[in-house]
Amino acid sequence: MTTPSSGRSLSAGRERRFILERYAEMLPVTPRTPLLSLGEGGTPLVRSRVIGPEVGLSQLCFKLESVSPTGSYKDRFIVREMERIVASGARMVVATSSGNTGAALAAYSARAGVRCVIVAAPEAPEGKVAQMRAHGATVVRVP
C-alpha cells in the first residue's frame, strides 16, 4: 500500500469495498444469508501529523470509524451477527449496552425488520440512547 506523506486518507482514490463483499469467501455465507449491509467497513486510514511524529512513529495512522453507518466500529460485527440472527428466524433481539453496541444493534435490527430491546444503565450517554430509540429500539434503563 502506498502511503501519501500529505496526511490524506490512505484509502483515498480506491474503490471502497464493504465487509461482506471483501471477505465473502471466508465467511459462512449461504444463499439464505440476508444481506443487511448499511455500508460498514472500508473506513479510511489517516496518517497522524502530530502524535506519530511526537512519539517517533512516522507511519502511525488512525482508522476513522466515525464514518461507519452508526459512527462505531461495532457495525463490523453487528452486521454479520444480525445476518445470522435473521437467517435463524428470530424476530427479536435483546442486549445490554452502554452505547455503541446498542446503537449498532438498533440500526441493523431496523434494517432487518427485527424488534430490538436494549437494556441500558442509567449512566448510558443520552446521545447513544437517543440513537437507539431513533432506530426504533425499546430502551429499558436498569440500575
Side-chain angles (χ1 to χ4, degrees):
M1 172 187 303
T2 304
T3 56
S5 59
S6 67
R8 293 179 313 148
S9 166
L10 298 181
S11 51
R14 285 193 284 159
E15 183 180 329
R16 185 172 161 175
R17 294 177 63 202
F18 303 116
I19 288 176
L20 185 59
E21 175 187 335
R22 187 172 182 182
Y23 298 106
E25 66 211 29
M26 294 178 262
L27 296 170
V29 177
T30 70
R32 291 189 56 218
T33 303
L35 303 179
L36 301 175
S37 177
L38 293 172
E40 63 290 323
T43 55
L45 284 172
V46 176
R47 170 94 32 86
S48 171
R49 292 182 183 180
V50 178
I51 296 171
E54 282 181 6
V55 298
L57 299 171
S58 62
Q59 300 297 314
L60 179 65
C61 295
F62 296 103
K63 190 88 167 135
L64 295 184
E65 293 295 343
S66 61
V67 299
S68 293
T70 70
S72 171
Y73 71 96
K74 303 234 175 162
D75 293 350
R76 295 172 183 272
F77 80 87
I78 292 290
V79 65
R80 294 295 304 136
E81 187 59 16
M82 280 305 301
E83 289 168 350
R84 188 190 67 74
I85 288 167
V86 170
S88 78
R91 295 181 307 209
M92 181 172 138
V93 294
V94 178
T96 60
S97 176
S98 60
N100 287 327
T101 298
L105 189 62
Y108 286 92
S109 293
R111 171 85 163 117
V114 172
R115 183 167 178 233
C116 180
V117 176
I118 304 294
V119 179
E123 57 273 1
E126 284 303 320
K128 286 297 176 184
V129 171
Q131 188 179 7
M132 294 172 207
R133 288 184 173 138
H135 290 294
T138 299
V139 179
V140 179
R141 297 250 189 183
V142 179

